[in-house]
Amino acid sequence: QVHLVESGGGSVQSGGSLRLSCAASGNINKRSCKGWFRQAPGKEDEVVAIINDDGKTRYADSVKGRFTISQDNANARISLYLQMSNLNPSDTAMYYCAADTSWCRYDEGTSLPGPARFRFWGQGTQVTVSA
């Protein structure tokens, strides 16, 4: 089992920044498949960013150059982050941290995974961007 807890959401104006955090515990390590998804009202889940087992990162086109996914394992505890900059109203959504105990590799040129790839999810944190 893996337990995920997000934090860091909030309300900002266009052009602002936020940093989301996800504390992970359980059967997970730095090579486990991890990512961030979001869901806006009336829309399907959208993958935002993932970390491959080799540490390389991938992003949805809509956030490239603005968002950065990272992780650390200080004190043997895995934490996942999403630094979001130059936010705009279209980024308004509930953001979810997702993980799986298996490894994953989604190299450039391949499709990003959908939500079914991840077995474990956090409770979500709301991000609201006003114009």
Side-chain angles (χ1 to χ4, degrees):
Q1 278 295 95
V2 175
H3 187 56
L4 305 170
V5 179
E6 303 102 332
S7 60
S11 298
V12 295
Q13 292 188 325
S14 285
S17 299
L18 282 173
R19 188 190 194 211
L20 305 184
S21 299
C22 175
S25 59
N27 188 22
I28 189 171
N29 57 56
K30 70 176 184 178
R31 297 194 69 175
S32 301
C33 198
K34 309 176 197 70
W36 288 95
F37 284 74
R38 65 185 180 186
Q39 187 172 30
K43 296 187 177 181
E44 294 184 353
D45 281 342
E46 174 190 20
V47 60
V48 175
I50 64 159
I51 289 184
N52 281 322
D53 60 356
D54 60 358
K56 292 183 178 178
T57 57
R58 293 278 314 278
Y59 298 91
D61 288 343
S62 58
V63 306
K64 276 182 183 177
R66 300 188 299 121
F67 290 14
T68 302
I69 186 172
S70 62
Q71 66 175 341
D72 68 47
N73 61 342
N75 300 317
R77 187 180 183 91
I78 298 292
S79 294
L80 189 68
Y81 304 101
L82 186 68
Q83 178 67 48
M84 305 184 294
S85 302
N86 195 20
L87 286 160
N88 59 66
S90 67
D91 295 315
T92 294
M94 185 72 79
Y95 283 72
Y96 296 91
C97 170
D100 199 87
T101 54
S102 62
W103 299 353
C104 61
R105 181 74 63 90
Y106 295 93
D107 294 327
E108 288 291 341
T110 64
S111 298
L112 288 169
R117 177 61 180 83
F118 299 87
R119 287 182 290 165
F120 304 103
W121 294 79
Q123 82 286 355
T125 186
Q126 178 68 37
V127 172
T128 302
V129 185
S130 57

